[in-house]
Amino acid sequence: MAQTHDHGDHSHPAAPMVEEISEFEILEIAVRELAIEKGLFTAEDHRKFTEWAEQIGPAGGSRLVAKAWTDPAFKARVLSDGVAACREIGIDWAEPTGQGTPSDYMELRVLEDTPTLHHVIVCTLCSCYPRPLLGHSPYWYRSPNYRRRLVRWPRQVLTEFGLVLPPEVEIRVEDSNQKCRFMVLPMRPAGTESWSEEQLAEIVTRDCVIGVALPRPDRKSDDVRPVHKASRPVGGEHHEPGGSP
């Protein structure tokens, strides 16, 4: 029988997110333009990869989780070799775009949640993310606010996303890096025991496989998060209240 869980009501409003462009995004633009200038790849190559990443979204990750929930043998393969398991659902990390563009990393570790352990992923260095499975990362995942604070105050940050976990549940933060990507295998929610794999995939959202939300039978999309402007945006000037303009 599939393992399900219910930690109670998690329907808490999300705190406002800060709209900010990180220094790494500015660096990425500069490096990308230099790479195109040096002939490492063309602007057309970059356009194709960007369009591919934007159109796939988190559908691959949703299918991976749903199949793992319904097939114990497949789940074991997911946990032992994530990249190989991805090929079983049609995602080849060696050539994810289908246009000869390889992934720049070839190790995926899928982290299984339990009733007493909850995983959440981050990249404290920049914005490493399992793009072949999930497409582009959300803006907040790349923000310094999320990257710096999650490793220090994970429970508080998850609360700001509207996810309040009981104190007896351990929260484990996994830091992505240039060699390895992570994805969370959340627990199957109660009330979905008779659901098909396709129905289950619909409730596995991007935030669930990052670890900032839990799958719910009544939700098929991530909550919209309010955003306010950064008080000290990267590259912008900041003046103290009452100071000279």
Side-chain angles (χ1 to χ4, degrees), residues 21-239:
I21 299 176
S22 76
E23 61 270 29
F24 294 104
E25 289 177 297
I26 296 173
L27 178 61
E28 184 275 328
I29 294 172
V31 171
R32 181 209 318 160
E33 292 178 348
L34 180 61
I36 292 173
E37 179 182 328
K38 297 295 184 181
L40 299 179
F41 55 83
T42 67
E44 179 67 7
D45 291 334
H46 183 265
R47 181 190 66 79
K48 288 181 178 179
F49 184 85
T50 300
E51 290 181 353
W52 162 79
E54 289 177 346
Q55 62 90 20
I56 64 168
S62 300
R63 297 201 316 273
L64 192 78
V65 170
K67 186 172 178 62
W69 280 347
T70 57
D71 185 339
F74 178 73
K75 175 183 173 181
R77 294 194 293 275
V78 166
L79 297 176
S80 64
D81 189 340
V83 170
C86 284
R87 287 196 290 271
E88 297 186 42
I89 61 168
I91 297 175
D92 185 353
W93 286 57
E95 194 174 326
T97 66
Q99 301 167 345
T101 305
S103 172
D104 56 351
Y105 40 87
M106 289 296 294
E107 182 176 2
L108 169 69
R109 297 180 188 174
V110 179
L111 312 167
E112 183 182 14
D113 283 350
T114 72
T116 58
L117 176 63
H118 179 85
H119 294 90
V120 58
I121 63 173
V122 68
C123 177
T124 55
L125 190 61
C126 50
S127 58
C128 298
Y129 191 72
R131 288 192 297 271
L133 272 176
L134 305 181
H136 275 317
S137 59
Y139 69 93
W140 51 261
Y141 182 88
R142 302 186 298 269
S143 71
N145 183 47
Y146 176 80
R147 297 184 350 249
R148 294 168 183 167
R149 297 176 64 242
L150 184 71
V151 293
R152 298 183 66 186
W153 306 293
R155 197 171 295 273
Q156 177 182 331
V157 172
L158 290 181
T159 298
E160 293 170 5
F161 275 91
L163 177 57
V164 179
L165 297 172
E168 62 270 20
V169 176
E170 176 190 351
I171 298 173
R172 187 171 297 170
V173 179
E174 294 289 348
D175 192 0
S176 304
N177 56 60
Q178 63 179 349
K179 295 182 179 180
C180 183
R181 302 297 191 262
F182 296 100
M183 193 190 85
V184 176
L185 174 59
M187 294 189 66
R188 181 173 178 172
T192 63
E193 291 79 9
S194 62
W195 286 24
S196 68
E197 191 174 310
E198 291 72 22
Q199 287 175 300
L200 291 169
E202 291 182 341
I203 66 171
V204 182
T205 68
R206 178 202 64 206
D207 287 5
C208 294
V209 294
I210 293 176
V212 298
L214 296 179
R216 297 198 325 237
D218 61 343
R219 183 175 63 189
K220 296 183 179 180
S221 61
D222 291 315
D223 295 333
V224 177
R225 310 195 189 286
V227 178
H228 64 77
K229 296 289 185 180
S231 59
R232 300 185 183 184
V234 174
E237 294 184 359
H238 174 77
H239 303 288

